[in-house]
Amino acid sequence: MNRQGRPSTPGEASSGAVDTVLGHRGLDHEEALIFEQGQAGRSGVDLPEVPAVTSRLGNLARKGPIGLPGLSEPQVVRHYVRLSRRNYAIDMGLYPLGSCTMKHNPRLNEKLARLPGFADLHPLAPLSTTEGAVEVMGVLAHWLKVLTGMPAVALTPKAGAHGELCGIMAIRAAHVARGEGETRKRILVPESAHGTNPATAAYCGFTVDPVPATAEGRVDLAALKAKLGPDVAAIMLTNPNTCGLFERDIREIAEAVHGVGGYFYCDGANFNAIVGRVRPGDLGVDAMHINLHKTFSTPHGGGGPGAGPVVLSAALAPFAPLPWVVEKDGRFALVEDDKGQSFGRMAAFNGQMGMFSRALAYMMSHGADGLAQAASDAVLSANYIQARLSDVMTAAFDGPCMHEALFDDRFLKDTGVTTLDFAKAMIDEGYHPMTMYFPLVVHGAMLIEPTESESKESLDEFIAVMRRLAEAARAGEVDRFTGAPHYAPRRRLDETLAARKPVLRWTPPAPAQAAE
């Protein structure tokens, strides 16, 4: 996929770049590693001497220095501010990653999440002091159940993949309770599924059986029915699917799976396209995770706090993980211990409070009509992009899409330009590339999700850039693509080598040899 890998140096920002003394370009500073900047004995704070104590570490005590860099406060601040300027973000411009729903995070959410009592809440605080937080969790759980048409929800899963694990563990617990834990060993997964779906099924001890797609990009119903049998535990299906299309046969799929005693797990990554319009519970879904960071505008977290609540049908509700919120006479409480069929805990505590407060703020500020409008606008934006680009790029499937527009690389045939080249050229134009080469069922896929956050002016600017790049590729401007990015702080890197041989630890350079 990456035949264009090449080394990169600070002076290669563009083919016509002028070598500067320090490698800076305009106001974009070349930045050394923080360990390279550190000096022994330098510190941004004055700390009192540590009193002598008797060590209890025995032979585990550290024998050498800890190895942290010594820096002043201005050095630390400048280092991370400079790095942050190189990180593209939704606050900088349109972020077209498909299947990731990079939507605007309203500042109202942030204000409410920082209220005293929420921002400083400790997971070990006594329940008598946290009733307000538990009520926020209870109200959020209520609206998640209303929006999905499901009777139960587990709040503790930390992200989408963790939510998948929750749903499949509940399904496994339900089969065990029926005495079928040893016979229900197969899970059907469409070929266009998110990669975490088959990974989750395999992690839970199931055999993954792929289901092919039709030429329309949807599940092949006949092939699915041919795979059904008494050993099927569940199907894991995304709707709208990863091709950006609504599965029209979803009710028939649910009935067929239920008919052989299996359960229907729905990947809720694309719920943003249908929230307020379609209730998954009405479609026969038994379990579905909801990415609060995709649908309800909480931050993606950069690897930090996330939230992937899982809604459950009446058949799976008894097996939900602890804890859960209950309401009685207007008071909310946590059920921390269950003598029933719960499969146990998924996390030590009760979930990510900061994500819960942000998501509830988003729901309540929009209201039912606003959430439905956001879903409609997301679908409108994607179809607008597809319609405006289909004459210069090739849509993967005929007809309208849902929340994301999917293109393949047929329009690049015989140009010498690949999907990767095209994406790298987008960086020169000021855009983070869309999702590339996914879903795998589409050759050279380019998956674009604009979301409802973008204005028509923003979409038109993006469309103009994409049209010009497509025309340039067809006009034979190959160097523009194979050499891209020309204007980024780094030229194109050898991503394959970086993935296979990552350098994860900084090693101090060897002392220079004195000249003889």
Side-chain angles (χ1 to χ4, degrees):
M1 288 168 56
N2 184 11
R3 56 184 173 77
Q4 302 295 336
R6 52 180 63 85
S8 176
T9 62
E12 287 186 340
S14 71
S15 56
V18 176
D19 290 336
T20 58
V21 175
L22 299 178
H24 303 334
R25 294 175 294 279
L27 298 180
D28 187 7
H29 287 67
E30 180 61 26
E31 187 66 9
L33 296 177
I34 199 166
F35 286 94
E36 295 172 333
Q37 299 179 41
Q39 294 185 20
R42 180 175 291 178
S43 176
V45 294
D46 287 328
L47 298 174
E49 290 293 329
V50 178
V53 296
T54 302
S55 175
R56 294 178 293 171
L57 297 177
N59 61 1
L60 297 178
R62 184 181 297 277
K63 296 179 174 59
I66 193 170
L68 294 177
L71 302 111
S72 66
E73 182 176 301
Q75 281 182 294
V76 174
V77 172
R78 287 173 180 171
H79 176 74
Y80 287 107
V81 168
R82 288 170 178 174
L83 292 183
S84 71
R85 293 178 61 186
R86 296 185 178 181
N87 184 37
Y88 194 81
I90 191 65
D91 288 345
M92 295 179 67
L94 186 151
Y95 210 138
L97 281 178
S99 198
C100 282
T101 317
M102 301 294 287
K103 64 197 288 180
H104 174 65
N105 305 143
R107 293 309 181 264
L108 174 64
N109 303 1
E110 301 300 318
K111 182 177 181 179
L112 294 179
R114 286 165 171 74
L115 287 173
F118 291 120
D120 55 0
L121 191 64
H122 194 281
L124 292 178
L127 288 177
S128 61
T129 69
T130 59
E131 289 186 11
V134 175
E135 182 174 354
V136 166
M137 295 168 61
V139 175
L140 172 66
H142 168 75
W143 289 116
L144 290 176
K145 289 184 286 187
V146 169
L147 288 168
T148 59
M150 305 282 267
V153 61
L155 293 177
T156 52
K158 306 298 173 110
H162 204 210
E164 289 175 26
L165 181 64
C166 173
I168 297 304
M169 289 178 71
I171 288 172
R172 183 174 65 182
H175 285 307
V176 170
R178 292 196 322 209
E180 298 180 349
E182 296 302 318
T183 57
R184 299 280 182 173
K185 288 296 185 182
R186 192 158 51 97
I187 288 185
L188 306 180
V189 181
E191 290 180 344
S192 62
H194 290 109
T196 49
N197 289 179
T200 297
Y203 182 81
C204 289
F206 293 100
T207 298
V208 177
D209 193 353
V211 180
T214 65
E216 292 184 327
R218 296 176 172 86
V219 170
D220 187 323
L221 184 59
L224 167 68
K225 289 183 175 180
K227 289 176 177 287
L228 294 175
D231 63 333
V232 169
I235 184 172
M236 298 183 77
L237 181 147
T238 307
N239 196 35
N241 67 24
T242 49
C243 294
L245 305 172
F246 193 86
E247 293 285 355
R248 293 191 294 255
D249 297 324
I250 188 167
R251 283 182 172 172
E252 191 169 352
I253 290 171
E255 291 172 1
V257 173
H258 290 156
V260 296
Y263 292 99
F264 186 173
Y265 183 91
C266 184
D267 185 313
N270 298 333
F271 189 44
N272 192 60
I274 60 174
V275 64
R277 295 290 183 181
V278 177
R279 300 194 310 176
D282 297 337
L283 304 177
V285 171
D286 291 299
M288 185 182 84
H289 78 262
I290 302 170
N291 301 88
L292 296 187
H293 56 280
K294 291 188 177 185
T295 305
F296 298 108
S297 81
T298 71
H300 275 66
V310 176
V311 287
L312 300 164
S313 67
L316 293 182
F319 307 97
L322 293 163
W324 55 74
V325 182
V326 294
E327 179 188 4
K328 185 177 181 180
D329 299 328
R331 301 292 295 272
F332 293 84
L334 284 172
V335 175
E336 302 269 11
D337 187 23
D338 175 57
K339 306 302 181 183
Q341 297 175 292
S342 169
F343 68 74
R345 283 181 174 268
M346 295 205 70
F349 301 111
N350 306 321
Q352 300 288 6
M353 192 64 218
M355 301 301 109
F356 296 157
S357 55
R358 287 175 172 89
L360 184 58
Y362 180 80
M363 290 180 178
M364 298 185 75
S365 62
H366 278 68
D369 58 337
L371 293 176
Q373 185 66 49
S376 298
D377 289 348
V379 174
L380 177 62
S381 294
N383 278 279
Y384 181 63
I385 283 181
Q386 180 174 283
R388 291 287 310 279
L389 292 180
S390 289
D391 62 324
V392 292
M393 298 172 64
T394 44
F397 302 103
D398 294 332
C401 60
M402 289 293 290
H403 59 300
E404 51 198 0
L406 178 59
F407 298 92
D408 57 32
D409 61 356
R410 285 176 293 167
F411 74 99
L412 296 174
K413 185 178 180 181
D414 300 326
T415 63
V417 177
T418 66
T419 291
L420 181 67
D421 296 329
F422 195 92
K424 296 298 185 184
M426 290 174 64
I427 297 175
D428 284 334
E429 300 289 343
Y431 287 103
H432 191 289
M434 67 272 139
T435 296
M436 301 175 293
Y437 299 110
F438 179 80
L440 299 178
V441 294
V442 172
H443 193 275
M446 304 179 197
L447 188 60
I448 301 169
E449 182 176 2
T451 81
E452 72 282 358
S453 303
E454 302 302 327
S455 65
K456 182 176 181 296
E457 293 77 14
S458 173
L459 296 178
D460 285 338
E461 290 177 355
F462 177 76
I463 289 166
V465 167
M466 298 295 280
R467 291 186 65 87
R468 177 66 188 94
L469 289 177
E471 291 164 355
R474 286 178 163 173
E477 300 177 28
V478 179
D479 290 345
R480 174 176 184 167
F481 295 90
T482 56
H486 297 275
Y487 302 115
R490 291 292 185 272
R491 297 293 296 279
R492 193 180 309 193
L493 306 178
D494 189 334
E495 298 170 10
T496 304
L497 180 64
R500 293 179 179 175
K501 296 182 179 180
V503 179
L504 303 178
R505 183 183 295 274
W506 177 72
T507 304
Q513 297 294 326
E516 295 183 1

